[in-house]
Amino acid sequence: MAIDAPQATVNHLFTLLISQGDAGYIGEKVSQLEHCLQAAHLAQSAGSDDETTLAALLHDIGQFLPEDKAEAMMTEQGSVGRQGHERLGADYLAKLGFSRKVCELVGAHVVAKRYLTATDNSYYDDLSDASKMSLRFQGGPFTSAEVTEFERDPLFPAKVALRRWDDHAKSVGLAVPGLDTYHPMALRHLHLQSS
């Protein structure tokens, strides 16, 4: 029995998540995979559509790609992630056939952090130490012109929501649904894109 292209893509993608997912999550107390699963769970619990939930699940996929795809952002304390991982992830998912919305949300989770640090005084204080350190490499808070432009984006609310789920998806020992829960959703999504 032949495996269709969406099935092969989901299998490949989820194998990548599992194989890299036990790695430490740049100074956080959860693994990369735990972080992704918690973000997806938060999105789904908020009633998000499949595209937004998949973007939450896959937002850090650029961190999982082979080492030669991105430079590490190094501080005195060590790596705080891969430079440009959000763009790498968005491009990678686009090549796999994910929708423009999924790719845009994945590609914007860093700029949404820059937006929130510019518009919410308490937001920066609540960031983890690793996230504060990576912000320096990511361009720092938005300027007022960048804030205005970002707020005009039709996906602005979803981009900010995904960023907040990203920030809250760092709870040690939190029981959330496993990766297999999202397999049918990803498969359905890719079938829709290819039809």
Side-chain angles (χ1 to χ4, degrees):
M1 179 168 140
I3 297 178
D4 63 13
Q7 180 69 55
T9 298
V10 173
N11 290 348
H12 161 75
L13 185 59
F14 282 26
T15 298
L16 178 62
L17 287 171
I18 291 165
S19 69
Q20 300 297 313
D22 285 335
Y25 174 49
I26 54 173
E28 305 294 352
K29 295 179 180 171
V30 295
S31 72
Q32 291 268 4
L33 183 57
E34 287 171 321
H35 172 65
C36 293
L37 291 172
Q38 287 183 26
H41 176 67
L42 290 168
Q44 198 161 44
S45 297
S48 297
D49 63 21
D50 285 359
E51 288 175 299
T52 305
T53 300
L54 287 170
L57 176 69
L58 302 170
H59 74 278
D60 272 344
I61 195 68
Q63 301 279 18
F64 296 106
L65 299 177
E67 291 290 334
D68 63 338
K69 298 288 185 184
E71 269 186 52
M73 297 178 285
M74 296 301 292
T75 69
E76 301 79 29
Q77 291 78 24
S79 174
V80 289
R82 293 184 179 167
Q83 184 74 37
H85 76 277
E86 71 284 3
R87 289 184 308 278
L88 290 169
D91 291 346
Y92 178 71
L93 293 172
K95 288 176 186 165
L96 292 180
F98 283 83
S99 70
R100 184 186 63 80
K101 180 178 178 180
V102 170
C103 298
E104 275 198 45
L105 292 177
V106 167
H109 75 276
V110 168
V111 295
K113 177 169 76 169
R114 295 183 62 211
Y115 167 81
L116 287 166
T117 56
T119 59
D120 182 347
N121 292 334
S122 65
Y123 178 80
Y124 179 83
D125 295 335
D126 291 337
L127 288 175
S128 67
D129 289 341
S131 199
K132 286 176 183 174
M133 285 188 280
S134 66
L135 179 64
R136 291 185 311 194
F137 292 91
Q138 295 163 337
F142 268 174
T143 64
S144 58
E146 289 171 320
V147 165
T148 301
E149 183 167 340
F150 189 65
E151 289 175 343
R152 289 187 186 127
D153 186 330
L155 289 177
F156 162 72
K159 288 177 178 180
V160 170
L162 191 146
R163 180 67 223 182
R164 292 197 183 271
W165 299 322
D166 182 5
D167 293 325
H168 290 44
K170 299 172 183 178
S171 300
V172 176
L174 182 65
V176 296
L179 190 56
D180 58 336
T181 303
Y182 302 100
H183 192 279
M185 181 186 295
L187 192 56
R188 185 169 58 246
H189 174 78
L190 288 174
H191 274 298
L192 283 171
Q193 303 315 303
S194 63
S195 61

